Amino acid sequence: MSWVRLRGSLRVRLLFGTLFWIAASIVVAGWGLSSLFRQHVQTQFQAELTSHLDQLTAQLTVDAQNAPALQMPLSDPHLTQPYSGYYWQIDPVAGGAGAVGTLRSRSLWDHVLALPAPELADGDSHHVHIAGPQGQWLNAVVRTVQLDDTPGQVPTSFRLMAAANERFMLEPVAQFNGTLWLALAVLAAGLVVAAGVQVWVGLAPLRDLRRALGQIHSGKTQRLEGQFPMEVTPLIDDFNQVLAQNAQVVERARTHAGNLAHALKTPLSVLANAAQAQGDAPSELAHLVNEQVEIAHKQVNYHLARAQAAAVSRLPGVKTELLPVILGLVRVMRRIHAERALDVQVGPMAADLSFRGEPQDLQEMLGNLLDNACKWTVHHVDVNARLDAHGLVITIDDDGPGLPPAQREVVLQRGVRADEQVPGSGLGLAIVDDLARLYDGSVALKESPAGGLRAMLTLPAATFSAD
């Protein structure tokens, strides 16, 4: 299926539009929820470190040698487990010296946390990213405090630090993201299925409308029938009205053509009767009048058949079953050519083969082709029909003398006869060719496997696919 056809499909447009917005919504929702959760975990993580730092600040004191000490240990048991990932450290700040690990948590064991000396005012804190024991990377909160409430001693500044392994923050975020995207994927799959069902159910009336059009194309009905949504009901009503108006126009055209034919036949009959009233020895003028009246009759019949076919060739809902028409014509031909004992056979064909057109036009085309075959055949005429990609294909074979390739196209012209000694007007094959063209069909003359001529008539079939 080409991209141009895909772009023209309403189903594809609805699906692509829905899938685009589902994907966009899932991505935005996933990014937003992940960001919110990451921010929440980070806030909780920093709050826990700040809580440890506040406890250190509250418990910090100095002894008689001006060394830092804690009045009581911190409450978190992780701070007593070696390399647990939670640590604290207190260092004196003197002349910008670096960290020396004067006082630190048991969890650090023999490791000392090193970081540049910060330039912070008393009581301020900030967050840093530093290396920890055993290759751990830590997020730390650092604060500088000054103890000056001890009488007789110089105020001393200390740097307090509470740190934790950053994986305690990253792992919950990673686990949450995995669960989140899995849940969003399941949600997206459900939304895609729901969108597909919605499009299928929403476009069901259009499929019903297509099937109704198929009923018209196949000749089963001449108007759109069924229950349709109110959004397309005005379109259905207008379409049915157009079909009814077309049928009325066709009927009026056929009536006018018939009236014209009868109006012409009456004076022609008067002329023919006047010419025959000349007695046993008609004059040359009477012969001329009879000849021209006969030609005029055939021309009127030819143009009347052509006008009627042109009026109904595009009319929907017209259908003619093929087999009954062929069998009726074969019976007529057997009676007309009974003295020659012709063998006119009908080959096997599907009983449901139908022509999308008027019965009179089908009889006119097949009748002329069968009559032409019976005139030229020696003994055998074979009629077959099948359905292929081009439509309804009817073949009529005879075992007569046939026609040279150069004459096969010529005899389809109006008034041209293959043999002037054989009775006829030269209009039969021309009528078949004109009627077939009016129905977007064709007639071709080829060499028959029986040795004579094969007439191949291709016409539109009364079939329709809803796919």
Side-chain angles (χ1 to χ4, degrees), residues 49-50 52-54 56-57 74 79 86-91 99-101 103-105 108 111-116 118 126-131 138-145 158-164:
L49 292 181
T50 303
H52 289 170
L53 191 62
D54 290 342
L56 281 176
T57 304
L74 272 62
L79 297 171
Y86 288 92
Y87 313 104
W88 60 264
Q89 182 172 299
I90 300 176
D91 301 314
V100 295
L103 188 65
R104 59 184 185 271
S105 64
L108 277 173
H111 187 85
V112 177
L113 298 178
L115 72 162
H126 74 294
H127 298 273
V128 294
H129 189 243
I130 60 176
L138 309 179
N139 280 344
V141 181
V142 182
R143 177 185 296 165
T144 300
V145 298
F158 294 96
R159 183 171 58 191
L160 285 66
M161 178 171 52

Side-chain angles (χ1 to χ4, degrees), residues 395-408:
T395 57
I396 300 177
D397 295 283
D398 64 70
D399 58 353
L403 277 176
Q407 285 189 301
R408 292 172 187 170

Side-chain angles (χ1 to χ4, degrees), residues 5-22:
R5 185 176 179 184
L6 286 176
R7 290 181 59 187
S9 170
L10 185 60
R11 182 187 299 111
V12 171
R13 288 187 178 186
L14 290 175
L15 281 176
F16 277 8
T18 304
L19 294 180
F20 171 79
W21 286 113
I22 288 176

Side-chain angles (χ1 to χ4, degrees), residues 11 200-216 221 223-229 232 236 464 466:
R11 182 187 299 111
W200 178 264
V201 174
L203 296 181
L206 296 184
R207 293 193 297 274
D208 295 339
L209 177 59
R210 191 172 180 85
R211 282 191 289 268
L213 288 172
Q215 298 291 323
I216 293 178
T221 181
R223 57 180 285 114
L224 289 174
E225 297 177 350
Q227 298 293 329
F228 299 100
V232 298
I236 302 299
F464 180 78

